[in-house]
Amino acid sequence: MKNLVKTVMILMAFLPSILTAQDKPNIILITIDDLRPELGVYGNTLIQTPQIDALSEHATTFNNAFCQVPVCGASRASMHTGVRPTPKRFTSAGTEIDHDLPNAVTIGQHFKENGYYTFSIGKVIHGKKDAVERTWTEYLPAESMFEYHDKALVEEATNPVAPYKRPQPYEVVVDSKDTDFLDGRSVKVAKERLAELKKKDQPFFMAVGIARPHLPFVAPKRFWDLYNENDIPMADNPYKPKNMPEMAKTTYGELRAYNSVPKKGDVPNDLAKKLKHGYYASVSFSDYLVGDLVAELKKQGLYENSIIVIWGDHGWQLGEHSFWAKHTNFDIALRVPLIIKPQKGKNMKAAKADGFAEIVDIFPTLCDLAGLEGPSQLQGQSLVPVLKDPNFSTKEYALSRWKQGDSIRTKGFRYTAFKNKKGVLIAEMMYDLSNDPEENKNIVEDATYKGEVEKHRKLLDKALKEYSLI
């Protein structure tokens, strides 16, 4: 009898930990390249994104989420470590965590070390060999995102016409199936893995990278056909902001590398229309694939106990200020979509939050939701309080930087300070977003705003010192 009682007591002692392990939420992290908040849930009534919009009915949509640096490699390194960029860390498209911050614990590594099976497919961390072994239990490298289907374009991609490096910046693909596209293949594999991961004796962390709407805008014809090109509105501010410092501009070399795009000057209107059409078609294709993956989660009975995060690595200019692509300190290049669906029992109702969120907040938020303590390096804050109450705000500003410019976004303003290599202030810009949401007039020299400018100078300086970013 004593032995029986002892056995029962031992089992009871272990039962809570066993149940905890079984009940750990699975995590699906979906990274979409170059996706700005151009979605139905963000108020765009023309673009067709029914799948992400449907997911948002069980999620919190962050209306004011900002990346820390507007370029893919650096932004992803910042998100996957929860660490902010500096003038010497996380600065470029080719940023590697192993080079810039080799001792940092990555988000996948942290969950792996805490009992999760971690799986990556598609472009998740930018570098194909960056932090792989310590981060992922299973890793499938991303395919090249510069895909074409027309034979002539494929040949042109191999032998580009001088002075261009790449063929056309878009392609309408006729008579295709999903797996003819790299994103379709990635999602197909992810769906297959879900059935396998469901059988494992551990929770999983699945990271899926979707390339579109990254250039080139390659999508099946059925998604191009969703739109009448003439119905898609072009930017109503295709001009440089008044009093904008020269160093604030971008020459958008990423787009100019393609045939048909002029090497200098503005993009012709007809081409601009085609590019925006291609961007919309690519977004709708990616939305469809997100829906395909979510449907498989539901089919496998994994949806309710899974945390799903959809985020874009940075914004993307579509002719605003005459700029294209990313690489600026303007809102349009820094604001990103961020949608978080928690697991069952954690308030899965539709909500929109207007308080600030930053991409460095994703790491601590997922730790919080999964009941894990985060590593000491984290410089973001958990957004779980916002998931519980969308009216709650965790911070008064968002910080970003690009090249020589450090930028702070507050409720009514964006202020950017440009400094030389010695840290000396050489230019500034500030925009009154309440009266000028498109940032068309730099008001840093306007006497009316003298107090606000000085306030933001001090606030930015304080924030940079607080996080040791100078």
Side-chain angles (χ1 to χ4, degrees), residues 23 30 55 66 76 108 114 118 124 132 189 245 254 258 274 280 307 321 327 340 348 381 417 422 427:
D23 291 341
I30 303 173
L55 177 67
F66 295 89
R76 291 162 188 256
N114 281 278
T118 59
V124 176
V132 169
V189 172
E254 177 183 8
Y258 287 84
K274 185 64 69 178
Y280 273 39
I307 301 165
H321 301 139
H327 304 151
I340 301 177
M348 292 172 60
Q381 296 170 259
K422 295 181 179 180

Side-chain angles (χ1 to χ4, degrees), residues 112 116-119 132-139 202:
K112 181 180 178 182
Y116 275 70
Y117 188 97
T118 59
F119 170 76
V132 169
E133 290 188 11
R134 71 179 190 270
T135 302
W136 309 114
T137 312
E138 183 181 357
Y139 172 71
Q202 63 186 130

Side-chain angles (χ1 to χ4, degrees), residues 224-468:
W224 285 81
D225 290 346
L226 292 175
Y227 304 99
N228 181 328
E229 197 164 283
N230 292 321
D231 291 339
I232 300 175
M234 302 306 295
D236 58 9
N237 61 338
Y239 47 81
K240 309 274 190 310
K242 186 178 181 181
N243 303 323
M244 180 196 76
E246 186 69 12
M247 61 176 47
K249 74 177 184 180
T250 175
T251 56
Y252 51 93
E254 177 183 8
L255 179 62
R256 293 190 193 277
Y258 287 84
N259 200 346
S260 76
V261 182
K263 294 289 109 177
K264 294 182 179 180
D266 294 339
V267 173
N269 191 55
D270 286 350
L271 177 57
K273 284 187 175 183
K274 185 64 69 178
L275 289 171
K276 195 161 185 180
H277 188 173
Y279 187 90
Y280 273 39
S282 296
V283 170
S284 289
F285 182 33
S286 292
D287 172 78
Y288 160 80
L289 292 173
V290 168
D292 199 25
L293 183 60
V294 170
E296 186 66 22
L297 278 167
K298 292 179 178 179
K299 178 181 176 182
Q300 296 297 334
L302 296 168
Y303 180 78
E304 288 193 339
N305 194 45
S306 291
I307 301 165
I308 302 175
V309 178
I310 295 178
W311 75 291
D313 53 359
H314 44 70
W316 219 84
Q317 290 148 149
L318 289 164
E320 292 85 4
H321 301 139
S322 77
F323 299 150
W324 292 81
K326 46 263 193 184
H327 304 151
T328 73
N329 278 305
F330 290 100
D331 247 39
I332 201 75
L334 297 171
R335 184 168 169 252
V336 298
L338 176 61
I339 299 170
I340 301 177
K341 183 204 82 69
Q343 68 270 41
K344 185 179 180 180
K346 297 287 186 177
N347 190 10
M348 292 172 60
K349 298 177 182 178
K352 291 190 177 183
D354 289 328
F356 292 118
E358 298 176 280
I359 294 311
V360 286
D361 297 334
I362 293 176
F363 196 155
T365 300
L366 290 179
C367 288
D368 199 352
L369 285 171
L372 302 179
E373 185 176 341
S376 60
Q377 74 207 23
L378 299 182
Q379 294 182 323
Q381 296 170 259
S382 172
L383 296 171
V384 168
V386 186
L387 298 181
K388 294 178 178 178
D389 177 5
N391 295 313
F392 186 85
S393 182
T394 62
K395 56 188 69 182
E396 62 174 318
Y397 58 77
L399 285 176
S400 304
R401 76 176 326 274
W402 174 244
K403 296 298 184 182
Q404 294 173 270
D406 284 294
S407 192
I408 190 164
R409 173 66 150 82
T410 62
K411 188 174 181 180
F413 298 90
R414 176 172 291 286
Y415 168 78
T416 304
F418 298 92
K419 298 178 181 179
N420 62 19
K421 292 182 180 179
K422 295 181 179 180
V424 177
L425 184 69
I426 54 178
E428 299 171 284
M429 63 179 185
M430 183 162 163
Y431 299 92
D432 178 353
L433 301 173
S434 297
N435 296 307
D436 178 26
E438 294 182 341
E439 298 175 292
N440 293 327
K441 181 184 178 183
N442 179 12
I443 49 91
V444 77
E445 297 292 343
D446 188 330
T448 308
Y449 293 94
K450 183 178 180 180
E452 284 290 353
V453 171
E454 184 58 29
K455 172 185 171 182
H456 282 74
R457 281 188 190 127
K458 291 179 179 179
L459 186 60
L460 175 60
D461 186 58
K462 178 183 177 183
L464 295 176
K465 289 176 180 176
E466 179 182 349
Y467 291 109
S468 302

